[in-house]
Amino acid sequence: MEEKMIALAGFIIISGLFVLERYRRYALEKKIDRLVQELDCFLLRGENNLEETLKEGRVENLRNELAAVTAQAQHQIQHREAREKHLNQFMENMAHQMKTTLTALQIRIDLAQSKASLSDVQTELEECQKCMGRLTGEVDRILECSQLGEQKINMWLERCDVSRLIQNTITVLEPLWKKKGVRIVYESSDISGISEIYLDSYWFSQAFENVLKNAVEHTPPGSAVTIQASDRVHSLVLEIKDEGPGIGEDELPYLFERFHRGCYGKTGYGIGLSMAADILKAHHGSIQAENRKDGGACFRLETPILEGRRPYEPQKNN
């Protein structure tokens, strides 16, 4: 009888220890799951709910370290957003002031043209008009760049023929790539199943044109720029591959920052690729750049294939 009691007591103790260990593991897993959820909220939505705790333990120590890291990251993000906002406001104010001056100058040139009688004076004034047009266009680009960065421009989604949009952009840039002696190779077999998708045709064309122009400018004469379009079930992917010198590894992280020129983009103002990134972001898409193994650079534009005008809202059947 005594042996049975001892055995029963041993069983109860072992069962209790087992239950206690299971509960301890369950509580630990719950703490870890909560920590992962809070970290995901910060990484995906920017919501920082991680707070330091005075409790002791490995999970608590990990929480305190993550809380310090996320607080520092959030401070850097807020500082960068404030800097971007001030820069956009400065660019927008500057562009508006320049447009006011250009408008006044344009009126003066128009009046001078109406009064000029000599042909050589008329010729000079016509050249002034051309210069004014180019300058006005550059100011408009700066203004658009700041407005895109501030998300002040709303995308108007409409059904677009992707192949036609790409072909039109190739035609627009035809004087550039023909003058440089560069061939454009367009491969569209992978999107034969996509007839039309919802895009803002004007702005998406601007983004694609900026990237394609950049590729042509960095491709040597006699080589080719390849455009490959593919259907990834839920997204459209456009890859623009050039045969140039490629992108420096130290430049890749800053390639889409505004005004960054570096060695790869030493021409222009350094706003073309940043505008493309802002336009893709407004389409809920993304843009990436990498070096190709066989030489040259590859830019990858990806945008979701939407089924309605509003993102992620399916079109209702009548």
Side-chain angles (χ1 to χ4, degrees):
M1 187 69 180
E2 185 177 349
E3 292 179 354
K4 291 183 179 180
M5 292 296 294
I6 293 174
L8 180 61
F11 175 76
I12 293 173
I13 292 172
I14 293 173
S15 299
L17 291 174
F18 177 77
V19 172
L20 183 63
E21 178 64 18
R22 290 296 302 267
Y23 176 77
R24 190 186 68 82
R25 289 191 178 185
Y26 172 77
L28 183 62
E29 289 177 358
K30 291 292 289 184
K31 289 181 181 179
I32 294 175
D33 288 342
R34 182 179 177 185
L35 188 59
V36 170
Q37 290 175 0
E38 291 175 348
L39 187 60
D40 284 342
C41 286
F42 174 74
L43 295 175
L44 299 176
R45 298 195 293 271
E47 299 176 1
N48 189 8
N49 298 321
L50 283 166
E51 296 180 355
E52 295 187 8
T53 178
L54 297 177
K55 297 180 181 179
E56 295 183 356
R58 291 185 178 181
V59 177
E60 285 72 17
N61 292 339
L62 178 60
R63 166 181 285 277
N64 290 338
E65 292 178 4
L66 288 174
V69 171
T70 54
Q72 183 179 6
Q74 190 174 40
H75 174 73
Q76 293 176 348
I77 292 171
Q78 291 173 349
H79 175 71
R80 181 172 180 175
E81 289 177 348
R83 185 182 63 181
E84 281 288 317
K85 185 176 182 179
H86 291 152
L87 176 61
N88 288 328
Q89 289 176 347
F90 169 75
M91 290 174 57
E92 194 167 344
N93 292 336
M94 181 185 68
H96 280 300
Q97 292 295 329
M98 292 176 67
K99 283 182 71 69
T100 302
T101 305
L102 287 173
T103 302
L105 184 58
Q106 181 71 62
I107 294 173
R108 297 269 183 181
I109 294 176
D110 291 340
L111 289 173
Q113 272 191 305
S114 64
K115 296 179 181 179
S117 57
L118 300 177
S119 59
D120 54 345
V121 175
Q122 283 282 359
T123 302
E124 291 296 329
L125 289 173
E126 288 175 2
E127 291 299 320
C128 289
Q129 289 279 24
K130 293 178 182 179
C131 292
M132 282 291 299
R134 288 195 295 269
L135 184 57
T136 302
E138 296 296 338
V139 173
D140 287 338
R141 284 194 70 201
I142 295 175
L143 182 59
E144 289 175 349
C145 181
S146 66
Q147 290 176 337
L148 283 168
E150 283 285 295
Q151 299 181 357
K152 292 182 178 179
I153 297 178
N154 295 323
M155 299 293 114
W156 176 254
L157 303 181
E158 56 186 353
R159 296 189 70 86
C160 301
D161 187 318
V162 179
S163 291
R164 183 177 299 175
L165 184 148
I166 294 173
Q167 291 287 2
N168 289 342
T169 305
I170 294 173
T171 302
V172 169
L173 294 177
E174 185 174 357
L176 176 64
W177 54 265
K178 278 193 172 181
K179 181 180 179 181
K180 195 170 182 182
V182 173
R183 293 178 294 108
I184 303 292
V185 180
Y186 174 38
E187 301 174 0
S188 61
S189 58
D190 290 342
I191 59 169
S192 56
I194 304 177
S195 56
E196 295 178 334
I197 65 173
Y198 278 94
L199 294 170
D200 186 304
S201 58
Y202 172 78
W203 285 111
F204 193 85
S205 296
Q206 290 292 309
F208 179 66
E209 181 180 330
N210 288 347
V211 178
L212 182 58
K213 180 182 177 183
N214 188 80
V216 171
E217 289 174 345
H218 292 89
T219 296
S223 56
V225 171
T226 303
I227 304 167
Q228 188 173 18
S230 57
D231 176 11
R232 301 289 174 85
V233 183
H234 297 296
S235 61
L236 167 71
V237 177
L238 300 180
E239 291 185 336
I240 297 94
K241 306 174 183 178
D242 65 47
E243 299 180 3
I247 309 168
E249 293 297 328
D250 57 334
E251 289 188 36
L252 279 172
Y254 312 103
L255 196 61
F256 299 103
E257 287 191 0
R258 195 170 309 159
F259 303 124
H260 175 77
R261 296 167 67 189
C263 297
Y264 186 78
K266 58 185 178 181
T267 58
Y269 304 111
I271 62 176
L273 293 180
S274 69
M275 287 181 65
D278 288 333
I279 293 170
L280 264 295
K281 182 179 178 181
H283 279 82
H284 303 278
S286 62
I287 181 171
Q288 297 175 337
E290 62 184 13
N291 288 314
R292 302 169 59 196
K293 293 181 179 179
D294 53 349
C298 174
F299 285 81
R300 186 176 295 105
L301 286 67
E302 184 170 358
T303 182
I305 299 177
L306 306 177
E307 299 179 358
R309 288 180 177 269
R310 295 185 177 182
Y312 311 122
E313 289 187 6
Q315 189 176 21
K316 295 181 180 179
N317 296 324
N318 293 328

